[in-house]
Amino acid sequence: SFPPSLSPIRPPVPPAMACARAAKPAAAASAGARGGVRRATRRSAPRSNASSPVSVLAAPAEEPESVQEALQKPVHIKIDDQWYDATGYALAHPGGARFIRFFHGRDATDVFYALHSYGPNGATTAADRLAKLRKVEAPKEERKMSEQDAATVSSFREFRQHLEADGWFKREPLHEVRLLCQTLGLYALGTVLAATQPLLATISIAIGMQQAGWLAHDFVHGRGRWCEAMRYFGCLTNGFSTDWWTQKHSMHHSFTNEEHKDEDVMQEPFFFLQPPSKTGRPDSPVRKWQHIYGYPLFAITFWLWRFDSLRSIKRRGDWKEAVACALQYAWLFAVLPLPVALGSITLGGFLCGALVSATHQSEEIMDNDPTGPTAEYVDAQFRSTRDAECNDPISKFFWGGMDVQLEHHLFPSMPRYKYHRLRPLLQSWAKAAGAGYRISPWTTIIADNWKTLRNVAKA
């Protein structure tokens, strides 16, 4: 999902990082600590949260702490039956220290392969970093899987390895070029029509913006030289910060539909997916009308994403993203008539916002486990995600891969144009493994989401 806060933002890491070089004994707690701390200093990337009608409340912000204090909190994670000391590296982890600490004492194998570069998906960056961490024994806080979860996970890993061997994660140049030309063509058409046919131009660019959102989402999840080269595509086409989105979206993938971790199920005060009596969060006097204003409100999605992106870029001082966004805004407001520019952002935001998390919103919302994931990664994806059935090319085009959300959540770095071919294979595996694969017509999913808003409005 390419989601979306006006929620509290955790303090920047760099000031604490500066202390790390003077704390050699503490930094030695992990083989990766010193290198990781130096990388974190260069990144200077505080972790932001998104603000949008699709996710507004973030998980609680971390309190400031010194590197010495951070290194006193052990972070031992298990990947492929091997335990690693990631205590020092947690400070440099691109997903943030808080993110990786959730996996202390837990098996992080499946989320590691889902979100990181490890070889078959085009690059080995994360696997190379992992290999440098110190190997340790299992911590006393180890959380072991149930026999059922262990069996499911073992079968799933074999399934993933077969997909790797068969080349499912490799990108196909013709498909990549087709999607890129298709998306940029909508921008070009809208630009040409802007002066004489403003309505048609607005529609063309709005659809292009929606499709650019899906494509940027694919590039950021992807690994390898091509995806790295296209890293700033979302900045150039929509004014979206890649770093801002990556931090938020990684939490969504790792803790899908988990209270206090996944912002997509904490959408107050815009939407309430659960009654305040259950969540304990403040109510809103307009909740009783949310099923009426809900879907029209998705029109502000891109406006909020743009605002959060600019705020994130300014805070981090990311000049590359700043230049990319400046080029986008120069085209938007210097080339296009103002009504076309404003209308395109609004309509494009509606087209994206209405679908971006539709396949999660009416599914199970899991209670929060403050120490880590509430469920094992594979189990959590099946419990929280439903595929949308799109039987015609037009609906498939507009859904842009969001209709095959379960395939995407299990294999995020796989190119999106392979998910529909993967669906029958995943269905067969799920049936054999006893996993609950669910799929409904896309119209039913939208109707169910509206009913959820209505039911909670009346609760």
Side-chain angles (χ1 to χ4, degrees):
S1 11
F2 186 100
S5 181
L6 299 179
S7 50
I9 296 171
R10 291 186 300 198
V13 170
M17 294 298 131
C19 304
R21 295 176 181 173
K24 294 181 180 179
S30 160
R34 288 186 293 273
V37 167
R38 285 194 293 269
R39 283 192 296 273
T41 305
R42 289 197 298 269
R43 280 180 58 82
S44 183
R47 306 304 173 203
S48 66
N49 296 303
S51 77
S52 85
V54 193
S55 48
V56 177
L57 293 182
E62 285 186 295
E63 293 298 323
E65 63 181 1
S66 68
V67 170
Q68 291 90 339
E69 291 172 332
L71 292 173
Q72 290 174 3
K73 301 176 181 178
V75 181
H76 295 168
I77 59 174
K78 181 181 180 182
I79 297 177
D80 286 333
D81 296 322
Q82 175 62 60
W83 287 93
Y84 295 91
D85 181 358
T87 305
Y89 180 68
L91 297 170
H93 182 243
R98 179 173 176 271
F99 175 94
I100 199 170
R101 284 174 183 160
F102 274 134
F103 288 94
H104 171 64
R106 298 166 186 261
D107 191 324
T109 302
D110 299 303
V111 70
F112 175 81
Y113 285 116
L115 297 177
H116 298 79
S117 48
Y118 65 97
N121 60 354
T124 62
T125 307
D128 294 341
R129 290 174 180 170
L130 178 69
K132 296 177 182 178
L133 298 184
R134 183 167 66 94
K135 297 177 175 62
V136 294
E137 297 296 322
K140 62 181 181 180
E141 303 92 344
E142 178 184 4
R143 173 172 165 173
K144 295 184 179 180
M145 295 184 192
S146 67
E147 290 186 9
Q148 181 178 351
D149 280 340
T152 301
V153 163
S154 176
S155 176
F156 175 78
R157 292 173 186 175
E158 290 181 13
F159 179 49
R160 188 192 68 237
Q161 290 166 3
H162 283 301
L163 295 177
E164 294 166 357
D166 291 341
W168 280 83
F169 291 87
K170 293 181 180 178
R171 295 194 168 260
E172 299 173 5
L174 288 179
H175 278 286
E176 298 289 336
V177 171
R178 176 183 64 82
L179 289 171
L180 191 61
C181 291
Q182 170 183 285
T183 301
L184 296 180
L186 289 164
Y187 278 81
L189 176 62
T191 303
V192 170
L193 294 175
T196 58
Q197 299 289 335
L199 179 59
L200 292 178
T202 299
I203 294 173
S204 179
I205 295 173
I207 296 174
M209 287 180 171
Q210 184 216 36
Q211 295 298 308
W214 304 147
L215 192 53
H217 168 250
D218 198 35
F219 287 145
V220 175
H221 270 300
R223 298 293 179 264
R225 293 181 179 178
W226 170 245
C227 291
E228 184 62 28
M230 300 302 291
R231 177 174 176 80
Y232 297 103
F233 183 77
C235 292
L236 286 166
T237 55
N238 273 333
F240 300 155
S241 162
T242 301
D243 187 86
W244 160 79
W245 177 80
T246 300
Q247 307 313 323
K248 195 206 82 65
H249 198 55
S250 293
M251 287 291 289
H252 164 68
H253 267 266
S254 302
F255 309 105
T256 312
N257 277 28
E258 289 193 29
E259 276 280 331
H260 297 293
K261 298 189 188 79
D262 183 3
E263 297 173 31
D264 288 8
V265 295
M266 300 174 65
Q267 303 176 10
E268 303 93 337
F270 293 108
F271 303 138
F272 290 75
L273 297 182
Q274 299 184 95
S277 59
K278 181 175 181 179
T279 64
R281 293 192 287 274
D283 200 351
S284 168
V286 299
R287 173 171 60 89
K288 58 186 176 182
W289 296 304
Q290 67 174 13
H291 56 300
I292 298 172
Y293 69 73
Y295 271 89
L297 191 61
F298 280 122
I300 68 172
T301 299
F302 278 1
W303 291 105
L304 292 171
W305 288 0
R306 284 172 175 267
F307 172 77
D308 282 334
S309 293
L310 291 174
R311 187 174 61 172
S312 173
I313 291 169
K314 180 181 179 181
R315 185 180 63 254
R316 291 179 290 109
D318 190 330
W319 67 268
K320 291 182 180 179
E321 287 195 349
V323 170
C325 284
L327 292 173
Q328 208 281 328
Y329 280 102
W331 165 78
L332 193 66
F333 292 115
V335 176
L336 299 179
L338 186 61
V340 173
L342 301 181
S344 298
I345 295 174
T346 303
L347 178 57
F350 171 79
L351 293 174
C352 184
L355 301 178
V356 68
S357 60
T359 54
H360 300 296
Q361 289 178 351
S362 295
E363 304 308 312
E364 179 182 357
I365 297 179
M366 288 167 270
D367 292 335
N368 177 50
D369 179 350
T371 66
T374 301
E376 298 300 332
Y377 183 78
V378 176
D379 177 50
Q381 305 314 314
F382 278 91
R383 289 166 59 181
S384 64
T385 310
R386 178 184 299 269
D387 267 10
E389 190 172 18
C390 299
N391 292 322
D392 62 272
I394 295 177
S395 61
K396 280 185 179 179
F397 170 79
F398 279 102
W399 276 78
M402 297 297 106
D403 55 317
V404 277
Q405 272 288 67
L406 182 56
E407 290 77 4
H408 170 63
H409 266 249
L410 292 170
F411 309 104
S413 60
M414 184 182 290
R416 82 181 202 208
Y417 43 79
K418 295 189 177 184
Y419 289 142
H420 287 98
R421 284 180 277 160
L422 175 63
R423 177 180 277 172
L425 299 181
L426 181 60
Q427 288 174 320
S428 296
W429 176 85
K431 183 177 181 180
Y437 185 102
R438 292 166 299 168
I439 182 171
S440 298
W442 71 267
T443 51
T444 300
I445 289 176
I446 297 299
D448 286 345
N449 287 344
W450 181 83
K451 290 175 184 177
T452 296
L453 294 178
R454 182 193 61 186
N455 292 340
V456 176
K458 296 180 178 181

